[in-house]
């Protein structure tokens, strides 16, 4: 049965396309007032294709007549509704021309089986009390700006955000531009949505209506690539991922930031934003997928257009919302670097970098040297909101590290595939990297001339400061997305992002596998010019060399794989080779590591065996002999590298799985047959210092040129040693600045360092051109303080098995010597009465500092040791409090120096001043009093590090007299220790080994 209906158009829904059908809903009522005041209202579905054009001419508030209507039930819904038929007509209602009749049966009938109400979206779980209700209203305004056309975001009247994403607004996208007047009916107003959006948002759902009330006078402008691409991606977020408005606003903002970071030179807009298919998502969606899975887990109910339009009370995704706390932001690399530097310098406090008791006794040269280098590690959680690292991984022919790059610049990075494994696959170069877990390292270099510790708060003494910023992370903590190579090159020749290596291979190529055994440092080297080159003197070129062995002969490209290796010309010939990387081939430095197998790929005719050319690098024979190689080869710029798993190399045995290391015995011995050593170690400290062999004109107080040097103190990793030995490593020019990642707390593999022995028979190492470093692990995010082991002094006589630093409970037997003095803070000359006694030159500052040293003999029943205490530790050794120590130093300021020496217990005193002076008498009495000769808990380090150069002295026979009876016993040699701290024992009766045996 067909009916005719007449009335005023109260509401007009959006034109919806669903399941390959298009339709819209109009509601006719008896009143032109607000919907809530409508006495009677009838909803009519129009889905006949020829009648969809009515949507363009219908206007709410006008009266219409619809003929030929029928009652039907929408599949999956619980309502019977009116629908137009092919014979239906739409006419304006003319009063008096239509006869009103009462319906004999209800025009809308409810299904007796109501459907269950849709479950709440999972992204609102646990948000009771935080969920807000949006307001439903009408609004008329003018578009003042287009914020994001593909995402459906516009600005209304300069104060509101209009979001059309929850309607299908394809026909309006090219119409809406600044100046367009719109009337919005039954739209939702959401305030304080969060997620980076600060203004209120108006968003119509399928229940609402958008009416165009006025066109714009502005000429349509040329749309950018950002405005052209991405519409399908944003539709996917709304209609398939079912994002609520706060999360959708944040996602669009994040995608726009990413596009501005990477497009158009690093990536193309269409590649980044275009959503092709469910199985082939865009790069932008892949970057956000993991975050969206957490914030809006899959499984939310799919939007039903019929229910959203017809059901009363109204239900839609815009009805309820919760303010979104911004999960993270994606800053540009330049912004991240700038923020890192700002935080590093804001936290730079000279007093905090130095411990105060020790700082007060440092001369200016040592004080400024301690401040010359420091570092800060910033984690993503240190920023609010948290930062995410995004960029394209690139390699440079001028640096020894990889870089992350975006539109704003580049950021050096240090990568590890996983723990103790470096990045070895060259295919990672050019990939898009997304990392939420990383360490942003800021190394601070400061040049200052603080006269003494009292002026540390005066910023004017800092003459120059600079920072080195880089990032380090594990590939397992990052999302790596390959990017087609065609998108990596800039369309403009002047763009600064064209240094990315082109890794495509020509059709005719040849390759050869080689096992890399050693890599040297990247530095400028001299190479002889090839025949026919210019007669000008060649300049040093940035380069590095690797040595290894060929694995089989040359292979030719056959289809998608490689053919069988060609037979070698000389089967018995040694296959060791030296490869030289110059020019653009330097870009492979960061991915080449010893112990790995690589494939060297080169273009060329099939008859030209480029890898078997003799002396192609014109290097003299002597360096080859020293390197143990029979041939050398210069890697050309157009050649490429591929990583090859050693497990796939058939017929080749003996590929090492571990990095070569020197034995501990050889490392600590005086044998210099092989002075190059290799080992793994944990870095304990890193300080700028003078070179290990410093000439007289470079000593403190001299104004000559100063050579730069960095000293690393490391703890060697040994499997058979409970307490790892400590070693110093010196890095001088041209190896400065040091490679990335050489930070306290990091584990590093050092290869082919030069071993040396100091005048005091301490072993130390230096960087050389053959040195190679590989970071095995990053410093921990939080510093872990490990207490020193508590031992007996006799345990220090075990050589390499003894700890370098420890704690012992012992007793002070006697004081050997004591020295208190005031020196010039600049030249360290004695300062009697506070005035520098230096002859000739005048020091730029008149500041003086106090210094002190004491040598005392301690024993714990197992051995005895001579301990040297300096500066503030002297006060603890003498048992003086802070005020008493300060008063004693003030008494010494007059003479400038007081020194006492005791040759043994009860022996005569040797003093630099008269022994009858009150100060000397006081110190003599103090040094022999029970308050000094007492039980203490001593934390110490060995004065000389363990080595095999000077063997331990054997125990000696010594005679003791105990009353009338003499005793002859073996006594271990005295140990030499340096005090780290002195504490009073918890139990005064504790006497080390004697107490434990009672």
């Amino acid at each position: 049965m067909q009916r005719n209906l007449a009335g005023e158009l109260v509401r007009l829904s959006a034109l919806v396309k669903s399941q390959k059908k298009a339709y819209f809903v109009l509601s006719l009522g008896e009143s032109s007032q607000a919907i809530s005041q409508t006495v009677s209202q009838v909803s009519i579905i129009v889905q006949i294709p020829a009648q969809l054009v009515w949507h363009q001419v219908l206007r709410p508030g006008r009266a219409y007549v619809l003929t030929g209507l029928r009652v039907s039930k929408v599949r999956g819904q619980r309502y019977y509704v009116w629908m137009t038929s092919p014979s239906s007509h739409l006419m304006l209602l003319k009063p008096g021309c239509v006869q009103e009749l009462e319906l004999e049966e209800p025009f809308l009938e409810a299904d007796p089986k109501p459907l269950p109400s849709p479950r709440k979206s999972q992204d609102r779980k646990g948000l009771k009390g935080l969920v807000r209700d949006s307001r439903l209203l009408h609004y008329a305004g003018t578009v003042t700006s287009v914020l994001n056309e593909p995402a459906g975001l516009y600005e209304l009247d300069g104060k509101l955000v209009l979001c059309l994403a929850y309607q299908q607004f394809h026909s309006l996208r090219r119409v809406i531009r600044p100046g367009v007047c719109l009337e919005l009916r039954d739209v939702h107003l959401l305030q304080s949505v969060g997620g980076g959006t600060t203004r209120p948002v108006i968003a119509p759902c399928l229940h609402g209506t958008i009416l165009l009330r006025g066109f714009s006078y502005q000429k349509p402008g040329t749309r950018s690539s950002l405005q052209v691409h991405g519409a399908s991606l944003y539709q996917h977020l709304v209609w398939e991922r079912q994002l609520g408005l706060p999360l959708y606003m944040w996602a669009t903002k994040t995608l726009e930031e990413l596009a501005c970071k990477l497009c158009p030179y690093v990536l193309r807009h269409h590649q980044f934003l275009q959503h092709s298919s469910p199985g082939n998502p865009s790069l932008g969606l892949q970057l956000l997928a993991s975050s969206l899975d957490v914030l809006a887990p899959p499984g939310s109910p799919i939007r039903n257009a019929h229910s959203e339009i017809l059901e009363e009370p109204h239900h839609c995704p815009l009805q309820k919302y919760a303010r979104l706390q911004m999960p993270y932001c994606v800053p540009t690399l330049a912004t991240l670097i700038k923020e890192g530097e700002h935080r590093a310098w804001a936290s730079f406090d000279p007093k905090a970098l130095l411990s105060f008791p020790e700082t007060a006794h440092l001369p200016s040269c040592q004080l400024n040297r301690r401040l010359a280098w420091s570092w800060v590690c910033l984690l993503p959680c240190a920023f609010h909101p948290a930062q995410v690292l995004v960029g394209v991984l690139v390699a440079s022919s001028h640096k020894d590290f990889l870089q992350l790059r975006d539109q704003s610049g580049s950021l050096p990075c240090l990568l590890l595939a996983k723990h103790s494994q470096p990045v070895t696959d060259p295919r990672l170069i050019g990939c898009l990297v997304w990392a939420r877990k990383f360490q942003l390292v800021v190394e601070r270099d400061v040049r200052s001339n603080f006269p003494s510790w009292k002026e540390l708060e005066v910023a004017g003494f800092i003459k120059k400061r600079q920072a080195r910023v880089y990032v380090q992370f594990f590939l397992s903590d990052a999302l790596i997305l390959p990017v087609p190579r065609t998108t990596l090159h800039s369309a403009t020749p002047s763009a600064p992002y064209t240094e990315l290596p082109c890794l495509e291979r020509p059709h005719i190529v040849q390759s050869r596998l080689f096992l890399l055994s050693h890599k040297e440092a990247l530095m400028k080297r001299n190479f002889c010019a090839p025949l026919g080159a210019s007669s000008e003197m060649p300049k040093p070129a940035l380069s590095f060399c690797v040595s290894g062995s060929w694995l089989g002969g040359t292979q030719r490209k056959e289809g998608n794989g490689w053919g069988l290796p060609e037979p070698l010309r000389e089967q018995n010939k040694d296959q060791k080779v030296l490869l030289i990387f110059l020019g653009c081939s330097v870009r492979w430095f960061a991915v080449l590591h010893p112990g790995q197998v690589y494939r060297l790929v080169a273009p060329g005719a099939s008859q030209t065996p480029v890898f078997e050319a003799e002396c192609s690098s014109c290097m003299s024979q002597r360096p080859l002999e020293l390197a143990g190689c029979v041939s050398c080869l210069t890697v050309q710029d157009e050649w490429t590298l591929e990583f090859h798993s050693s497990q796939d190399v058939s017929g080749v045995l003996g590929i090492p799985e571990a990095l070569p290391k020197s034995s501990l015995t050889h490392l600590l011995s005086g044998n210099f047959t092989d002075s190059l050593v290799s080992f793994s170690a944990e870095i304990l400290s890193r300080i700028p210092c003078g070179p290990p062999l410093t000439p007289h004109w470079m000593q403190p107080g001299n104004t000559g040129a100063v050579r730069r040097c960095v000293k690393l103190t490391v703890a060697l990793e040994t499997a058979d040693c409970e307490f790892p030995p400590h070693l110093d490593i010196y890095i001088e020019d041209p190896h400065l600045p040091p490679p990335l990642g050489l930070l306290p707390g990091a584990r590093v593999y050092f290869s082919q360092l030069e071993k040396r022995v100091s005048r005091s028979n301490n072993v130390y190492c230096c960087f050389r051109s053959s040195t190679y470093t590989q970071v095995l692990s990053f410093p921990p995010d939080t510093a872990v303080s490990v207490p020193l082991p508590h031992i007996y002094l006799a345990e220090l006589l075990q050589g390499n098995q003894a700890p370098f630093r420890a704690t012992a409970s012992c007793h002070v037997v006697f004081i050997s010597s004591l020295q208190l003095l005031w020196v010039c803070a600049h030249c360290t000359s004695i300062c009697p009465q506070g005035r520098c006694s230096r002859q000739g030159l005048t020091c730029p500052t008149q500041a003086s500092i106090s210094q002190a040293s004491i040598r005392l003999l301690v024993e714990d029943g197992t051995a005895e040791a001579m301990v040297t205490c300096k500066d503030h530790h002297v006060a603890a050794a003498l048992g003086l409090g802070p005020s008493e120590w300060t008063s004693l130093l003030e008494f010494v300021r007059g003479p400038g120096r007081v020194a006492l020496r005791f040759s043994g217990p009860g022996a005569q005193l040797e003093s630099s001043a008269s022994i009858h002076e009150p100060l000397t008498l006081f110190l003599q009495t103090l040094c022999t009093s029970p308050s000094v000769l007492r039980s203490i808990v001593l934390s110490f380090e060995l004065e000389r590090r363990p080595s095999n150069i000077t063997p331990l002295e054997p125990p000696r026979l010594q005679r003791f007299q105990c009353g009338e009876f003499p005793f002859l016993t073996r006594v271990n040699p005295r140990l030499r220790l340096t005090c780290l701290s002195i504490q009073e024992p918890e139990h005064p009766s504790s006497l080390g080994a004697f107490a434990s045996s009672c």
Side-chain angles (χ1 to χ4, degrees):
M1 178 185 294
Q2 294 186 346
R3 299 281 188 176
N4 299 336
L5 289 180
E8 182 179 315
L9 180 60
V10 178
R11 185 172 65 240
L12 180 67
S13 75
L15 182 62
V16 180
K17 294 182 180 180
S18 176
Q19 299 178 355
K20 300 182 180 179
K21 292 183 180 180
Y23 64 92
F24 66 91
V25 179
L26 57 92
S27 298
L28 296 180
E30 299 177 358
S31 172
S32 61
Q33 303 300 319
I35 297 176
S36 61
Q37 299 176 352
T38 301
V39 176
S40 178
Q41 180 177 322
V42 180
S43 296
I44 306 167
I45 295 180
V46 180
Q47 64 179 6
I48 306 299
Q51 299 170 358
L52 296 179
V53 70
W54 295 354
H55 192 272
Q56 305 292 329
V57 297
L58 290 171
R59 292 292 180 267
R62 295 189 180 183
Y64 296 95
V65 176
L66 274 172
T67 64
L69 300 180
R70 55 188 176 86
V71 177
S72 178
K73 181 181 178 182
V74 180
R75 179 178 299 177
Q77 303 299 313
R78 61 190 181 95
Y79 294 114
Y80 290 99
V81 297
W82 291 103
M83 301 182 68
T84 60
S85 64
S87 60
S88 298
H89 294 280
L90 174 68
M91 298 174 292
L92 288 173
L93 174 63
K94 297 180 180 180
C97 297
V98 176
Q99 182 181 1
E100 297 184 4
L101 299 175
E102 293 293 335
L103 295 177
E104 298 178 357
E105 58 185 20
F107 62 90
L108 191 63
E109 181 180 347
D111 195 324
K113 298 180 180 180
L115 296 177
S117 58
R119 63 184 178 91
K120 294 183 178 180
S121 177
Q122 294 188 29
D123 59 353
R124 291 198 294 266
K125 285 185 177 180
L127 295 179
K128 292 182 179 180
L130 300 178
V131 177
R132 308 179 183 184
D133 293 322
S134 62
R135 294 181 56 188
L136 201 65
L137 47 77
H138 301 338
Y139 186 85
T142 303
V143 177
T144 53
S145 177
V146 178
L147 302 179
N148 190 333
E149 182 179 315
L153 298 179
Y154 304 88
E155 182 187 68
L156 282 180
D157 299 330
K159 55 185 179 180
L160 297 175
V161 176
L162 173 63
C163 177
L164 302 181
Y166 291 83
Q167 274 202 4
Q168 295 179 351
F169 62 104
H170 311 286
S171 58
L172 293 175
R173 185 178 289 123
R174 291 293 291 148
V175 177
I176 299 181
R177 57 181 180 269
V180 169
C181 297
L182 298 177
E183 181 182 349
L184 307 173
R185 289 176 169 265
D186 302 321
V187 294
H188 295 267
L189 174 65
L190 296 85
Q191 304 185 56
S192 186
V193 298
T197 303
T198 57
R199 292 182 290 184
V201 181
I202 286 183
C205 64
L206 297 178
H207 189 75
T209 307
I210 304 174
L211 300 176
L212 185 64
R213 293 305 188 188
F215 291 100
S216 172
Y217 293 102
Q218 298 184 18
K219 180 181 179 181
T222 302
R223 296 191 300 171
S224 64
S225 299
L226 183 61
Q227 296 174 328
V228 172
H229 303 287
S232 59
L233 171 59
Y234 296 117
Q235 292 176 18
H236 172 83
L237 297 178
V238 173
W239 296 95
E240 297 185 32
R241 294 303 299 250
Q242 301 294 316
L243 299 188
L245 182 71
L247 189 54
Y248 176 76
M249 297 294 292
W250 170 80
T252 57
K253 180 177 182 294
T254 303
L255 286 172
E256 189 173 0
E257 291 177 351
L258 288 170
C260 294
K261 274 173 58 68
L262 303 173
C263 305
Y265 298 136
V266 179
L267 297 175
R268 293 286 182 256
H269 281 95
H270 72 86
Q271 182 67 28
F272 183 73
L273 293 174
Q274 193 65 34
H275 183 65
S276 303
S277 62
N280 184 27
S282 66
L283 290 175
L285 185 58
Q286 293 182 61
L287 293 180
L288 291 184
S290 60
S291 302
L292 296 180
D293 289 342
V294 175
L295 298 172
S300 299
I302 303 299
R303 290 179 66 185
N304 189 296
H306 294 93
S307 300
E308 195 168 315
I309 296 174
L310 297 175
E311 279 191 355
E312 294 293 343
H314 174 62
H315 294 284
C316 74
L318 301 175
Q319 196 170 17
K320 293 184 179 295
Y321 69 98
R323 178 179 175 84
L324 177 68
Q325 296 295 330
M326 200 166 184
Y328 55 80
C329 66
V330 189
T332 63
L333 296 180
T335 302
L336 187 62
I337 294 174
K338 183 178 179 180
E339 179 66 17
E341 290 185 354
H342 172 74
R343 288 174 177 260
W345 292 119
S347 62
F348 178 75
D349 183 6
K351 286 190 173 182
L353 294 176
L354 304 170
S355 58
F356 172 72
E358 181 183 9
T359 304
H361 305 282
L362 293 177
S364 60
C365 60
Q366 296 183 19
L367 182 70
N368 293 300
R369 187 173 292 167
R370 296 281 184 92
L371 299 173
W373 182 87
S374 58
W375 68 292
V376 175
C377 180
L378 300 174
L379 301 178
C381 58
F383 301 88
H384 300 286
Q387 308 283 303
V388 172
L389 191 66
V390 181
V392 174
L393 194 64
V394 300
S396 173
S397 59
H398 306 289
K399 305 292 183 181
D400 59 351
F401 47 78
L402 296 174
Q403 296 174 310
L404 284 177
R405 178 167 294 176
D406 65 4
Q407 293 282 99
S408 66
S410 58
L411 174 64
C413 60
L414 177 62
L415 308 181
L416 287 180
K418 54 184 179 180
H419 190 72
S420 300
Q421 292 190 7
V423 174
T424 57
D425 195 347
R427 292 178 299 177
L428 291 172
I429 298 176
C431 290
L432 184 62
V433 177
W434 167 283
R436 296 185 63 179
K437 185 178 180 181
F438 59 88
Q439 292 180 340
L440 184 67
V441 178
V442 184
E443 296 184 12
R444 301 176 296 205
D445 290 299
V446 175
R447 293 186 182 180
S448 59
N449 58 356
F450 289 102
S452 67
W453 63 275
K454 298 180 181 179
E455 291 81 15
L456 287 178
E457 294 182 351
V458 183
F461 289 106
I462 298 178
K463 300 304 179 183
K464 183 180 179 180
R465 65 182 191 180
Q466 59 184 6
R468 181 167 71 157
V469 184
Y470 58 94
V471 66
Q472 51 190 22
F473 58 92
F474 291 98
L475 289 183
S476 57
D477 295 331
L479 177 64
I480 309 297
L481 300 176
V483 179
R485 300 297 176 183
T486 55
T487 66
L488 294 177
H489 298 283
S490 170
T492 59
S494 60
Y497 307 103
T498 57
E499 194 182 346
L500 301 180
C502 181
L503 301 181
E504 296 84 358
R505 296 193 299 265
H507 296 290
I508 303 177
V509 292
Q510 55 182 308
S511 68
R512 196 171 183 183
L513 293 174
F514 73 94
L515 170 64
L516 196 153
S517 58
H518 177 68
K519 179 176 74 170
E520 295 189 353
L522 179 64
M523 56 185 298
K524 289 187 176 182
R525 291 179 171 86
N526 290 315
F527 288 101
C528 57
L531 296 176
S534 174
S535 59
E536 297 181 1
M537 182 68 65
K539 296 182 179 180
L542 192 66
S543 63
F544 71 97
C545 304
V546 301
S547 57
S549 302
W550 294 119
L551 302 180
T554 301
Q555 296 176 268
R556 312 289 177 176
K557 190 71 174 179
E558 294 181 359
N560 295 328
W562 297 99
L564 295 176
E566 297 180 356
L568 301 176
R569 295 180 181 178
E570 301 180 20
Q571 294 291 340
N572 298 328
K573 183 179 179 181
D574 193 352
Q575 297 301 310
K576 291 185 178 180
V577 64
L578 183 70
L579 300 179
I580 302 174
F581 291 79
L582 289 164
C584 291
S585 64
V586 169
R587 67 183 183 271
W588 305 114
F589 180 85
V591 295
L592 286 171
H593 297 281
Q596 306 297 331
V597 177
Y598 296 89
R599 183 183 296 276
L600 191 59
V601 182
S606 58
Q607 296 82 10
T608 308
V610 296
F611 301 118
E612 299 182 12
E614 294 289 343
C615 299
S616 59
S617 65
C618 68
M619 176 178 279
S620 61
Q621 194 66 23
R622 179 56 179 165
L624 292 179
E625 295 176 358
L626 294 176
C629 302
V630 296
S631 63
C632 62
L633 188 66
T634 299
V635 178
Q636 304 300 316
D637 294 347
E638 64 274 12
W639 293 3
T640 59
L641 280 175
E642 295 178 356
F643 176 73
H644 197 84
S645 176
S646 58
Q647 299 177 355
D648 299 334
V649 181
S650 59
V652 179
L653 301 177
I655 295 179
E657 297 182 358
L659 297 171
K661 298 180 181 179
S662 304
S663 66
L664 185 62
T665 303
H666 168 66
L667 185 60
L668 300 180
S669 68
N671 182 10
F672 286 90
T673 304
D674 183 9
S675 62
L676 298 179
V677 295
S678 304
F679 53 85
S680 297
E682 178 185 351
I683 299 179
L684 302 178
S685 65
R686 169 178 165 178
I687 58 173
C689 65
L693 299 178
T694 306
H696 172 72
W697 53 270
M698 294 173 58
Q699 298 297 328
N702 294 326
T703 59
V706 177
R707 293 168 55 193
R708 297 188 302 158
C709 183
V710 172
K711 184 180 76 171
L712 303 178
T713 300
V714 302
L716 303 179
E717 292 185 354
T718 55
D720 56 347
C721 186
E722 180 182 1
F723 303 106
H726 291 192
L727 195 69
D728 289 336
I729 301 176
Y730 291 89
I731 309 175
E732 303 179 65
D733 285 326
H735 305 286
L736 294 178
L740 301 184
L742 299 188
L743 303 171
R747 292 178 53 250
V748 183
Y749 171 70
F750 298 92
S751 176
Q752 295 199 8
L753 293 169
E754 182 184 5
K755 182 180 71 173
R756 291 183 178 180
V757 178
S758 67
R759 289 188 294 267
S760 59
N761 289 333
N762 278 328
V763 176
Y764 67 94
C765 295
C766 295
F767 268 51
R768 288 296 173 257
S769 60
S770 61
T771 300
Y772 157 76
T773 60
Q774 174 183 321
V775 176
L776 301 177
S777 65
F778 304 133
D781 293 340
T782 56
V784 179
S785 178
V786 179
L788 297 177
H790 196 90
I791 66 170
Y792 296 124
L793 294 179
E795 297 181 41
L796 299 176
L797 301 173
Q798 299 176 4
N800 297 334
Q801 302 298 324
F804 177 67
R805 292 182 177 180
T807 300
S809 297
C810 51
H811 186 82
V812 180
V813 179
F814 75 95
I815 303 298
S816 173
S817 64
L818 172 65
Q819 180 175 245
L820 306 175
L821 65 161
W822 285 85
V823 298
C824 174
H826 178 70
C827 67
T828 67
S829 299
I830 301 297
C831 290
Q833 303 297 332
R835 291 188 295 272
C836 180
S837 60
R838 184 184 183 187
Q839 301 295 326
L841 298 177
T842 303
C843 294
T845 177
Q846 296 299 320
S848 59
I849 58 174
S850 62
Q851 291 184 345
S853 65
I854 189 173
R855 291 173 62 84
L856 46 92
L857 182 69
V858 301
E859 58 88 19
D860 67 345
T862 65
E864 57 184 14
M866 188 63 69
V867 182
T868 301
C869 304
K870 292 187 177 181
D871 300 327
H872 62 287
H873 297 310
V874 176
L878 296 177
L880 300 178
S883 59
E884 297 170 330
W885 175 245
T886 302
S887 300
L888 177 60
L889 291 178
E890 288 300 322
F891 280 111
V892 180
R893 186 186 292 272
R897 177 177 179 270
V898 174
L900 292 84
R901 182 179 298 275
F902 302 87
S903 57
Q908 293 297 325
L909 170 68
E910 298 178 10
S911 174
S912 60
S914 174
I915 60 174
H916 301 292
E917 290 187 1
L919 181 58
T920 304
L921 292 174
F922 169 76
L923 292 176
Q924 179 185 3
T925 304
L926 179 64
C927 291
T928 57
S929 66
S931 62
V932 175
L933 306 180
R934 68 195 190 280
S935 298
I936 60 173
V937 178
L938 176 69
S939 297
F940 60 87
E941 67 179 13
L942 298 178
E943 190 174 282
R944 189 178 64 193
R945 292 184 177 145
S947 68
N948 298 329
I949 300 174
T950 55
L952 294 174
E953 299 179 15
R956 69 183 187 278
L957 288 173
Q958 186 171 345
R959 185 180 300 274
F960 293 91
Q961 188 73 25
C962 183
E964 299 178 356
F965 303 97
F967 291 91
L968 188 66
T969 184
R970 293 186 180 274
V971 178
N972 290 319
R974 286 181 179 176
L975 299 166
R976 295 184 178 273
L977 308 177
T978 299
C979 175
L980 297 178
S981 69
I982 294 179
Q983 297 178 349
E984 302 300 325
E986 296 181 2
H987 305 286
S989 61
S990 176
L991 294 176
F994 290 123
S996 63
S997 63
C998 294

